[in-house]
């Protein structure tokens, strides 16, 4: 492989598709990952991630010689950081991976290089990394281009959205913003919106917080309607007939690795100001706890009425409909809680999008529904939409599948 033009640090859900996209334009990309299995898999032209069209894109990029993976970085002219930013205790963001990735590049930088962070990061991270770099390499001060450019792709549609979504690009100065825009222009058809690094960092956090707040509103309505004996699904459909109202759907909580996580990046840095954002997190977390209580109550009532323990079907484990991703899934949390509280009663755990899971014995959804006394729908999977339920079943519909 020729000298790479781009070094991509982090070959996960975003880094690998982005690396494959850049390589598809006949640009040499050197991908770096700390996991040797990931490196080996990619160098064989295979992928470790389930994402439509990614396997083909990576296979082609590797076969054509434009993408190569390694555990260490090499010299290039553009460096992109796409590593995770997890949490420490108390929901505080942990930028140590971004910092470690940056430290690994410091000795490779030369004047004129472009350094971009794409990882979801607390406000001020890009400036912090700039200070770190210039502390170690003072002779490069103001000679690098440094920018933050978040992605906003939807899992399951990454290869399309990477190219077609608009992007927000914020440099630490105007020259950096322009250099980063010129870079992304080669690969992205969506509009590229210039701003500064802090605004770009906040923009990513705000997008996901906004959705979290809107879902919390729907979830709060579902709690109110339950007490008021009103069908929340009908209510929302009717309210949405207003030309300027667009309420989202309640569910059994909010999951995934973005919306349930990113708002904490704001709350932990601005605890006094971010009241609605913090409350939304609490409401959406509480909704899962409330679903557990509802299922437990239904079980108790059944036992009192029928003088025997019910069989309960828990329908869905994924964090949203029609996917096999269980990360941060409220449905998985609910299933775990129900099983923890269970004595000897029978539970059927159902997830039609996965074949097996270590901590659950999965049951086919048709068998579960036929044999259960209580059927609790947690995730609105398409597979559940054709189910017919006999009148003797106790049905708890937390995701509006029956509406
Ligand atoms: N949910 C509801 N009610 C709704 C919509 C969603 O309860 O009306 C729940 C889902 O069931 C799920 C959670 O919200 O548990 C999140 O699902 P999602 O489809 O809203 O979002 P993600 O996590 O798959 O992807 C989000 C997207 N962000 C926004 O829509 C603002 C995506 O564009 C981001 O790129 C991604 O987060 C990310 O990586 O940040």
């Amino acid at each position: 492989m020729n000298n790479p033009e781009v070094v991509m640090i982090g070959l996960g859900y975003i880094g690998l598709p982005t690396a494959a996209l850049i390589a598809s334009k006949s640009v040499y990309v050197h991908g770096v990952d700390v996991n040797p299995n990931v490196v080996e898999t990619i160098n064989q032209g295979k992928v470790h991630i389930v994402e439509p069209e990614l396997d083909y894109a990576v296979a082609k990029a590797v076969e054509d010689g434009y993408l190569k993976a390694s555990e260490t970085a090499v010299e290039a002219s553009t460096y992109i950081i796409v590593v995770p930013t997890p949490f420490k205790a108390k929901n505080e963001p942990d930028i140590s991976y971004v910092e470690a990735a940056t430290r690994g590049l410091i000795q490779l930088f030369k004047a004129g290089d472009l350094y971009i962070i794409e990882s979801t990061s607390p406000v001020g991270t890009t400036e912090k990394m700039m200070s770190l770099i210039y502390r170690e390499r003072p002779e490069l001060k103001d000679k690098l281009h440094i920018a933050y450019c978040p992605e906003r792709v939807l899992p399951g549609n990454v290869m399309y959205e990477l190219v077609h979504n608009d992007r927000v690009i914020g440099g630490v100065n105007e020259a950096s913003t322009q250099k980063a825009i010129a870079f992304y222009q080669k690969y992205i058809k969506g509009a590229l919106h210039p701003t500064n690094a802090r605004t770009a960092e906040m923009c990513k956090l705000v997008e996901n917080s906004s959705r979290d707040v809107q879902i919390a509103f729907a979830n709060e309505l579902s709690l109110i309607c339950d007490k008021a004996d009103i069908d929340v699904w009908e209510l929302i459909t009717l309210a949405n007939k207003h030309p300027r109202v667009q309420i989202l759907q309640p569910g059994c909580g909010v999951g995934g690795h973005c919306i349930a996580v990113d708002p904490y990046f704001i709350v932990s840095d601005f605890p006094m100001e971010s009241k609605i954002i913090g409350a939304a997190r609490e409401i959406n977390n509480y909704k899962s706890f409330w679903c557990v209580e509802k299922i437990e109550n239904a079980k108790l009532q059944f036992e009192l009425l029928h003088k025997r323990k019910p069989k309960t079907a828990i329908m869905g484990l994924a964090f949203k409909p029609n996917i096999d991703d269980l990360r941060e899934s409220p449905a998985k949390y609910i299933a775990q809680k129900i099983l923890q509280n269970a004595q000897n009663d029978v539970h059927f755990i159902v997830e039609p999008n996965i074949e097996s899971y270590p901590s659950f014995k999965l049951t086919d959804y048709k068998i579960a529904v036929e044999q259960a006394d209580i059927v609790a729908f947690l995730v609105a999977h398409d597979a559940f939409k054709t189910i017919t339920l006999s009148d003797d079943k106790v049905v708890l519909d937390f995701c509006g599948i029956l509406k």
Side-chain angles (χ1 to χ4, degrees), residues 10 59 96 107 109 116 127 144 158 175 216 236 253 292 299 307 315 328 366 368 380 384:
S96 61
Q107 295 312 321
F109 288 136
I116 299 167
E127 289 165 355
L144 295 179
V158 169
I236 290 174
V292 174
K299 285 169 63 180
K307 309 282 180 262
M315 307 293 285
E328 316 289 333
K366 288 183 189 135
F384 298 160

Side-chain angles (χ1 to χ4, degrees), residues 53-212:
E53 293 170 38
L54 178 64
D55 47 357
Y56 170 76
V58 170
K60 177 141 184 24
V62 172
E63 193 188 315
D64 293 350
Y66 287 109
L67 175 61
K68 184 177 181 288
S70 159
E71 284 174 65
T72 46
V74 295
E75 216 178 281
S77 51
T78 298
Y79 301 88
I80 309 178
I81 309 275
V82 201
V83 295
T85 35
F87 278 109
K88 294 188 277 203
K90 292 196 191 157
N91 292 331
E92 283 169 18
D94 173 4
I95 61 165
S96 61
Y97 295 156
V98 173
E99 192 176 324
T102 305
R103 282 189 188 280
L105 298 175
I106 287 181
Q107 295 312 321
L108 299 171
F109 288 136
K110 51 191 184 320
D113 283 350
L114 175 61
Y115 162 91
I116 299 167
I117 303 177
E118 287 200 9
S119 307
T120 303
S121 302
V123 174
T125 303
T126 309
E127 289 165 355
K128 259 191 204 156
M129 292 307 113
M130 176 176 71
S131 304
L132 173 75
I133 295 166
Y134 289 153
R135 211 165 41 236
E136 302 282 324
R137 298 285 306 275
E139 78 282 8
L140 286 179
K141 184 146 182 10
D142 298 331
K143 292 187 182 143
L144 295 179
H145 298 104
I146 297 177
Y148 182 76
C149 179
E151 53 67 35
R152 33 170 63 149
V153 292
L154 197 69
N157 198 26
V158 169
M159 295 313 284
Y160 178 86
E161 292 203 3
L162 259 186
V163 176
H164 293 92
N165 287 356
D166 284 15
R167 298 285 285 257
V168 172
I169 300 183
V172 293
N173 50 37
E174 185 55 24
S176 296
T177 307
Q178 290 312 324
K179 179 98 174 176
I181 286 181
F183 172 77
Y184 282 107
Q185 237 156 19
K186 291 185 261 177
Y187 314 105
I188 288 171
K189 293 187 180 149
L192 304 174
H193 303 277
T195 182
N196 58 46
R198 298 176 73 79
T199 308
E201 287 163 342
M202 187 61 110
C203 192
K204 169 71 189 180
L205 304 179
V206 160
E207 289 165 14
N208 282 343
S209 301
S210 158
R211 195 154 167 87
D212 197 45

Side-chain angles (χ1 to χ4, degrees), residues 14 120 151-155 161 165 204 207-208 211 215 218-219 248-259 262 319-321 330:
I14 305 300
T120 303
E151 53 67 35
R152 33 170 63 149
V153 292
L154 197 69
E161 292 203 3
N165 287 356
K204 169 71 189 180
E207 289 165 14
N208 282 343
R211 195 154 167 87
I215 299 169
N219 277 332
L248 293 181
Q249 300 297 302
C252 68
V254 168
H257 29 287
C258 309
I259 295 185
D262 295 357
F319 87 80
K320 64 179 184 178

Side-chain angles (χ1 to χ4, degrees), residues 113-390:
D113 283 350
L114 175 61
Y115 162 91
I116 299 167
I117 303 177
E118 287 200 9
S119 307
T120 303
S121 302
V123 174
T125 303
T126 309
E127 289 165 355
K128 259 191 204 156
M129 292 307 113
M130 176 176 71
S131 304
L132 173 75
I133 295 166
Y134 289 153
R135 211 165 41 236
E136 302 282 324
R137 298 285 306 275
E139 78 282 8
L140 286 179
K141 184 146 182 10
D142 298 331
K143 292 187 182 143
L144 295 179
H145 298 104
I146 297 177
Y148 182 76
C149 179
E151 53 67 35
R152 33 170 63 149
V153 292
L154 197 69
N157 198 26
V158 169
M159 295 313 284
Y160 178 86
E161 292 203 3
L162 259 186
V163 176
H164 293 92
N165 287 356
D166 284 15
R167 298 285 285 257
V168 172
I169 300 183
V172 293
N173 50 37
E174 185 55 24
S176 296
T177 307
Q178 290 312 324
K179 179 98 174 176
I181 286 181
F183 172 77
Y184 282 107
Q185 237 156 19
K186 291 185 261 177
Y187 314 105
I188 288 171
K189 293 187 180 149
L192 304 174
H193 303 277
T195 182
N196 58 46
R198 298 176 73 79
T199 308
E201 287 163 342
M202 187 61 110
C203 192
K204 169 71 189 180
L205 304 179
V206 160
E207 289 165 14
N208 282 343
S209 301
S210 158
R211 195 154 167 87
D212 197 45
V213 167
Q214 291 176 56
I215 299 169
F217 182 75
N219 277 332
E220 185 163 291
L221 286 183
S222 73
L223 304 181
I224 294 168
C225 286
D226 186 65
K227 275 210 169 155
D229 196 20
I230 290 170
D231 180 336
V232 69
W233 314 99
E234 185 193 358
L235 174 77
I236 290 174
T237 306
L238 294 174
N240 284 348
K241 300 289 178 203
H242 184 294
R244 286 169 297 282
V245 172
Q246 192 54 56
I247 303 171
L248 293 181
Q249 300 297 302
C252 68
V254 168
H257 29 287
C258 309
I259 295 185
V261 174
D262 295 357
Y264 289 125
F265 284 50
I266 301 181
V267 175
S268 75
D269 279 346
F270 307 95
M272 296 304 289
E273 295 77 12
S274 47
K275 299 251 182 338
I276 292 181
I277 299 172
R281 280 285 67 242
E282 281 174 28
I283 292 165
N284 287 332
N285 286 339
Y286 173 71
K287 184 66 194 287
S288 310
F289 176 80
W290 183 88
C291 293
V292 174
E293 298 271 287
K294 280 274 163 193
I295 297 170
E296 298 291 357
N297 283 341
K299 285 169 63 180
L300 278 177
Q301 274 178 18
F302 183 97
E303 198 173 343
L304 283 175
L305 197 67
H306 298 276
K307 309 282 180 262
R308 69 171 173 87
K309 284 185 180 290
K311 294 177 190 161
T312 307
I314 304 288
M315 307 293 285
L317 290 176
F319 87 80
K320 64 179 184 178
N322 306 321
I323 58 165
D324 61 356
D325 193 338
L326 269 50
R327 284 177 299 170
E328 316 289 333
S329 169
K332 187 177 77 176
Y333 162 83
I334 292 166
Q336 276 163 342
K337 282 279 163 205
I338 296 290
L339 291 185
Q340 266 167 24
N341 299 344
Q343 312 272 306
N344 292 322
D345 32 350
V346 176
H347 291 92
F348 305 110
I349 307 292
V350 175
E351 179 42 73
N353 296 298
I354 56 177
E355 291 201 339
S356 63
Y357 193 73
S359 45
F360 298 108
K361 178 179 173 289
L362 299 180
T363 303
D364 176 79
Y365 71 93
K366 288 183 189 135
I367 296 171
V369 167
E370 196 184 290
Q371 298 194 3
D373 303 300
I374 298 174
V375 183
F377 288 101
L378 302 183
V379 190
H381 289 314
D382 283 348
F384 298 160
K385 290 185 178 154
T386 51
I387 289 174
T388 37
L389 293 153
S390 54

